[in-house]
Amino acid sequence: MSASRWLACAVLSAFCVLQASSLDSFVAAVYEHAVILPSGTLLPVSHSEALALMNRNLDLLEGAIVAAAKQGAHIIVTPEDGIYGMHFTRDTIYPYLEDIPDPRVNWIPCDNADRFGYTPVQKRLSCLAKNNSIYVVANMGDKKPCNTSDPQCPPDGRFQYNTDVVFDSMGKLVARYHKQNLFMGEEQFNAPVEPEFVTFNTPFGKFGIFTCFDVLFHDPAVSLVTKFQVDTILFPTAWMDVLPHLAAIEFHSAWAMGMGVNFLAANIHNPLRRMTGSGIYAPDSPRAFHYDRKTQEGKLLVAQLESHPRRSTVNWTAYASSVDAPATGNQEFQSVAFFDEFTFVELKGITGNYTVCQNDLCCQLSYRMTEKRRDEIYALGAFDGLHTVEGQYHLQICTLLKCKTTSLHTCGSSVDTASTTFEMFSLSGTFGTQYVFPEVLLSEVKLAPGEFQVSSDGRLFSLKPTSGPVLTVTLFGRLYGKDWASNASSDLITHSLMLLMLIMTPIIHYLC
């Protein structure tokens, strides 16, 4: 064989191998895990006791991993806090932590567990990935010693991180992410000094990873999509619902659509704390989701996704800016949704067109109900301002929602059942941001896949009559650049936090 012919064959062979190793689609799995909690977190336990609890949870996770692999899954995501639970102090979480090295060390813990000290949890996760030929995503705790003479070093001489790890199908550690945006009450962990932008490549696309409360902030979440161009987000979470706009399946599916990426969200399952809601979300529609407050068992979801989903461009202010806003006068009223004061207008007819404004945001709605019930009130609301409870982040929200009772003062209160279906709706707003997340939530906290669409001029509109009664139709906008540019006084913020602690103690961990 001539040298030129041999070279041509070699190039063709390499091309074929490359094609075979590049998949247009993949099978994803997420597991909503009913975590076994420690009996108490007020006093530290021994490392052996901590490991015993973690192995009990890993036994359950192993069952889900094996089942997912048998169904052909390429990757599985498990929840935040899924290995040891929650509500720790710095001292009581310490026995559960391991030293997790930088993935650049090229390490397969299943083959060499003691290379970086005693790492039984990493070894078991690695072996689960290797033995089942599946990527495994898990959340655990990382510990890093530091010199207390360093002003950034905690007084106890160590950094402790809420950490996501990813092991590939050979058991190799390929990603490690330290959670950046810690939720209030997570004093057991430190945030990294700078946000970490963690990505890794697979034969079925480029992946990024972040954790729970991170999703509400620009870094690392938005940057992973806009700057690092990931195809799929991995999202371990321990999320408690806050209606009307932050139910887990509602907001996470909306984030996938708004950012144009796949989003794999694995949540803790604890119905008593309203912690449920996991899903496999594509940009156009959910592929699988789970919301269950009636049973105590975990749930495995498996679905197929495109490896490289296509993103569309939306001008979120175009349509609403072209609509003349009618005078509403004293029809407007104020009411509160999750501590934010919205400007509302009541929907008084079976069909109508309404506009309501607050600050720089005007929201426009056209709708037609199947019937106008006397026992239910719906309203169109607008909020443009800084949310100051459990964090500071600037929102612009347009929302059609069901009020809790027939009193206008309950518009915005948490409600999860309704009786009114809509034949059509079209919602838009004069948003000052390109980051808008479209939500449609039906009665009993259900999604409406395939029933709505977003147009290029910024309208969220129905494709068919809703399959169930409507809780909310919402455009949830984030103005990341204004998160800290506010005239809100520290007294107001302090008062809000105190109010949250007093009123919301049972659900204080809702976004972890």
Side-chain angles (χ1 to χ4, degrees), residues 251-270:
F251 187 67
H252 302 159
S253 61
W255 204 92
M257 179 173 283
M259 295 304 298
V261 292
N262 299 321
F263 195 85
L264 310 184
N267 198 3
I268 290 291
H269 187 73
N270 190 330

Side-chain angles (χ1 to χ4, degrees), residues 12 22 86-87 138-139 142 196 252 256 282 294 302 304 371-372 380 387 443-444 454 456 461 481 508 512:
L12 181 61
S22 179
M86 57 199 75
H87 302 306
N139 177 265
D142 187 11
E196 299 176 355
H252 302 159
K294 297 178 181 179
V302 180
Q304 186 167 315
E371 64 173 327
K372 182 68 176 72
L380 171 66
H387 178 82
S443 183
E444 298 183 349
V454 172
S456 60
F461 63 94
I508 197 65
C512 67

Side-chain angles (χ1 to χ4, degrees), residues 366-400:
S366 299
Y367 73 93
R368 184 169 62 253
M369 301 174 181
T370 53
E371 64 173 327
K372 182 68 176 72
R373 299 175 60 98
R374 292 184 178 181
D375 59 347
E376 288 192 329
I377 288 179
Y378 283 80
L380 171 66
F383 176 76
D384 179 8
L386 190 76
H387 178 82
T388 59
V389 177
E390 102 298 327
Q392 288 194 89
Y393 43 95
H394 197 105
L395 302 173
Q396 284 188 330
I397 299 176
C398 292
T399 184
L400 155 67

Side-chain angles (χ1 to χ4, degrees), residues 184 339 388-390 490-505 508:
M184 60 185 301
F339 297 93
T388 59
V389 177
E390 102 298 327
S490 60
D491 288 343
L492 176 60
I493 295 170
T494 300
H495 178 264
S496 297
L497 291 175
M498 290 177 64
L499 196 60
L500 177 73
M501 294 296 291
L502 289 171
I503 297 177
M504 300 189 68
T505 298
I508 197 65

Side-chain angles (χ1 to χ4, degrees), residues 455-509:
S455 62
S456 60
D457 61 359
R459 287 182 301 130
L460 169 57
F461 63 94
S462 57
L463 295 172
K464 59 179 74 171
T466 59
S467 60
V470 170
L471 290 180
T472 179
V473 176
T474 301
L475 292 172
F476 188 103
R478 279 288 283 114
L479 278 71
Y480 299 105
K482 296 180 70 175
D483 282 1
W484 303 104
S486 170
N487 294 323
S489 68
S490 60
D491 288 343
L492 176 60
I493 295 170
T494 300
H495 178 264
S496 297
L497 291 175
M498 290 177 64
L499 196 60
L500 177 73
M501 294 296 291
L502 289 171
I503 297 177
M504 300 189 68
T505 298
I507 60 171
I508 197 65
H509 199 73

Side-chain angles (χ1 to χ4, degrees), residues 126-431:
S126 170
C127 291
L128 285 172
K130 180 179 180 179
N131 295 340
N132 294 283
S133 299
I134 187 173
Y135 281 70
V136 172
V137 183
N139 177 265
M140 57 184 297
D142 187 11
K143 59 183 179 182
K144 291 289 182 285
C146 58
N147 192 330
T148 54
S149 63
D150 182 345
Q152 293 180 334
C153 181
D156 54 17
R158 61 181 184 264
F159 291 108
Q160 300 181 172
Y161 298 112
N162 180 331
T163 308
D164 299 326
V165 291
V166 183
F167 296 91
D168 71 10
S169 56
M170 299 298 292
K172 178 182 175 182
L173 178 67
V174 294
R176 178 197 66 185
Y177 168 70
H178 296 138
K179 183 178 178 181
Q180 179 66 36
N181 299 285
L182 299 175
F183 186 67
M184 60 185 301
E186 269 191 288
E187 71 275 0
Q188 71 269 34
F189 292 120
N190 304 104
V193 176
E194 296 292 337
E196 299 176 355
F197 304 97
V198 175
T199 68
F200 60 96
N201 290 299
T202 75
F204 42 94
K206 185 176 183 179
F207 287 72
I209 188 167
F210 54 83
T211 313
C212 207
F213 201 40
D214 285 327
V215 75
L216 283 168
F217 300 91
H218 188 276
D219 289 334
V222 173
S223 291
L224 286 174
V225 179
T226 59
K227 182 178 179 180
F228 294 90
Q229 296 291 302
V230 301
D231 301 303
T232 301
I233 292 293
L234 307 172
F235 187 68
T237 187
W239 190 289
M240 179 179 285
D241 284 345
V242 174
L243 294 168
H245 303 130
L246 287 171
I249 59 174
E250 173 188 30
F251 187 67
H252 302 159
S253 61
W255 204 92
M257 179 173 283
M259 295 304 298
V261 292
N262 299 321
F263 195 85
L264 310 184
N267 198 3
I268 290 291
H269 187 73
N270 190 330
L272 292 178
R273 296 182 179 178
R274 292 187 68 107
M275 300 178 81
T276 182
S278 301
I280 299 171
Y281 308 112
D284 59 338
S285 183
R287 294 295 185 265
F289 64 92
H290 176 69
Y291 185 93
D292 172 25
R293 288 170 48 202
K294 297 178 181 179
T295 64
Q296 301 300 317
E297 293 78 22
K299 178 69 174 182
L300 176 68
L301 301 176
V302 180
Q304 186 167 315
L305 291 168
E306 292 182 12
S307 299
H308 308 285
R310 290 172 290 179
R311 299 170 190 162
S312 57
T313 301
V314 177
N315 183 337
W316 285 105
T317 194
Y319 181 81
S321 297
S322 70
V323 177
D324 292 331
T328 56
N330 58 15
Q331 293 178 337
E332 294 181 356
F333 63 95
Q334 308 296 312
S335 192
V336 173
F338 191 44
F339 297 93
D340 296 323
E341 189 172 72
F342 281 65
T343 301
F344 283 105
V345 60
E346 180 187 354
L347 309 187
K348 293 187 174 181
I350 193 171
T351 185
N353 296 280
Y354 286 89
T355 299
V356 65
C357 301
Q358 185 180 102
N359 298 330
D360 295 330
L361 177 66
C362 286
C363 304
Q364 194 278 335
L365 172 71
S366 299
Y367 73 93
R368 184 169 62 253
M369 301 174 181
T370 53
E371 64 173 327
K372 182 68 176 72
R373 299 175 60 98
R374 292 184 178 181
D375 59 347
E376 288 192 329
I377 288 179
Y378 283 80
L380 171 66
F383 176 76
D384 179 8
L386 190 76
H387 178 82
T388 59
V389 177
E390 102 298 327
Q392 288 194 89
Y393 43 95
H394 197 105
L395 302 173
Q396 284 188 330
I397 299 176
C398 292
T399 184
L400 155 67
L401 54 75
K402 184 213 166 184
C403 305
K404 187 171 186 178
T405 70
T406 54
S407 169
L408 296 180
H409 297 296
T410 66
C411 296
S413 297
S414 178
V415 56
D416 50 19
T417 60
S419 300
T420 301
T421 57
F422 281 69
E423 292 185 7
M424 64 80 63
F425 58 79
S426 173
L427 179 67
S428 60
T430 57
F431 291 95

